[in-house]
Amino acid sequence: MTAGTGQTEVLVVDDDPRLGQLLDEYLSSRGFAVRVASTGAEGLAALAGAPVDLVILDLGLPDLDGLEVCRRIGAAHDVPILMLTARGEATDRIVGLELGADDYLPKPFDPRELVARLHAILRRARGPAEPEPANRPVTAGPIAVDPERRRATFDGRELDLTSTEFDLLRALVAQAGRVLSRDRLMELARGQDFGAFDRSVDVHVSHLRRKLGDDPKRPRWIKTIRGVGYMVPRP
């Protein structure tokens, strides 16, 4: 991730300039830091110059075959790859997966599905966050949460929180420094069985900010990572 921002670095390798621009704009608006390369050689050079968190690779490149680029990336870099292909042959997708690609998406595609697949790949690549003991007190700067006593304080001042607000704050503080998607935040707050949980996370976060005395326009303690989720900064 980009230092200090919580953004995920993505390299798009695609020779279609219009699609490259659209992906740059769409993914950037959803919290990703995007670089675009128009050929396989440019993509390999970009990776050699600076690592990224994920590669979106078109198989139909003008210079190197996309499958060969996939093979070279896998041989030299430990980075997840999402293949884009307009080809109808399943063989190319199978070979790409065998060469180390993590997923594929046929063109044309819904950009919302692309983002969902990127998040799924990143979750698998990064693995689960290290679990915190359920009753272990956690802190982040002036915020302290004691799950066993169901007590939260800010700079020593006890906070009057609802049960949902407490669970969300505990999850955010326990994972301070990590960007949590809304679904991941709900899962950490209420476990796998959150079907009956009020899904209006944004509303609860707004209430939490008010009780923390956070500036809603420039929040300091619960930051919004646009298009991704929320994060309590690590002290």
Side-chain angles (χ1 to χ4, degrees):
M1 288 189 175
T2 306
T5 68
Q7 287 184 301
T8 297
E9 293 270 10
V10 175
L11 172 65
V12 177
V13 186
D14 196 300
D15 66 323
D16 183 341
R18 181 172 176 273
L19 179 59
Q21 181 180 357
L22 288 173
L23 288 178
D24 187 357
E25 294 174 354
Y26 189 83
L27 294 177
S28 296
S29 71
R30 279 150 182 81
F32 294 88
V34 183
R35 284 186 278 157
V36 180
S38 59
T39 68
E42 287 181 11
L44 293 170
L47 273 179
V52 296
D53 297 296
L54 192 145
V55 175
I56 299 174
L57 173 64
D58 181 24
L59 291 188
L61 297 172
D63 55 343
L64 296 171
D65 183 82
L67 294 174
E68 174 62 16
V69 176
C70 181
R71 186 193 67 78
R72 294 189 190 184
I73 292 175
H77 306 278
D78 182 17
V79 59
I81 300 171
L82 172 69
M83 298 183 298
L84 298 180
T85 176
R87 302 176 183 178
E89 291 294 332
T91 303
D92 291 324
R93 297 194 290 269
I94 294 171
V95 172
L97 295 171
E98 290 177 344
L99 288 173
D102 294 80
D103 200 355
Y104 71 88
L105 194 59
K107 296 179 180 179
F109 55 84
D110 187 326
R112 294 172 298 179
E113 181 180 359
L114 173 66
V115 170
R117 287 179 180 269
L118 294 183
H119 284 309
I121 291 172
L122 290 168
R123 283 196 298 269
R124 294 195 298 268
R126 292 168 179 166
E130 183 177 345
E132 291 283 343
N135 293 325
R136 177 182 175 182
V138 290
T139 61
I143 308 173
V145 180
D146 185 343
E148 187 171 2
R149 299 171 61 191
R150 298 289 292 182
R151 183 174 183 266
T153 61
F154 179 82
D155 206 16
R157 170 178 59 86
E158 185 163 359
L159 300 171
D160 182 16
L161 304 178
T162 66
S163 178
T164 297
E165 290 166 358
F166 181 90
D167 290 335
L168 289 173
L169 185 63
R170 173 182 53 79
L172 285 163
V173 172
Q175 300 294 325
R178 294 177 180 267
V179 182
L180 301 177
S181 68
R182 288 165 177 80
D183 283 346
R184 180 60 175 154
L185 182 53
M186 287 191 293
E187 181 181 330
L188 289 170
R190 291 294 177 89
Q192 294 288 347
D193 185 20
F194 54 77
F197 179 31
D198 183 357
R199 301 178 70 89
S200 302
V201 174
D202 296 340
V203 175
H204 295 302
V205 169
S206 176
H207 293 166
L208 275 172
R209 283 176 172 154
R210 176 174 53 81
K211 293 179 181 182
L212 291 170
D214 223 351
D215 184 344
K217 295 183 179 179
R218 293 186 176 180
R220 179 180 179 187
W221 304 116
I222 303 180
K223 293 184 174 294
T224 299
I225 307 302
R226 186 177 177 185
V228 183
Y230 296 104
M231 175 182 70
V232 167
R234 190 184 301 276

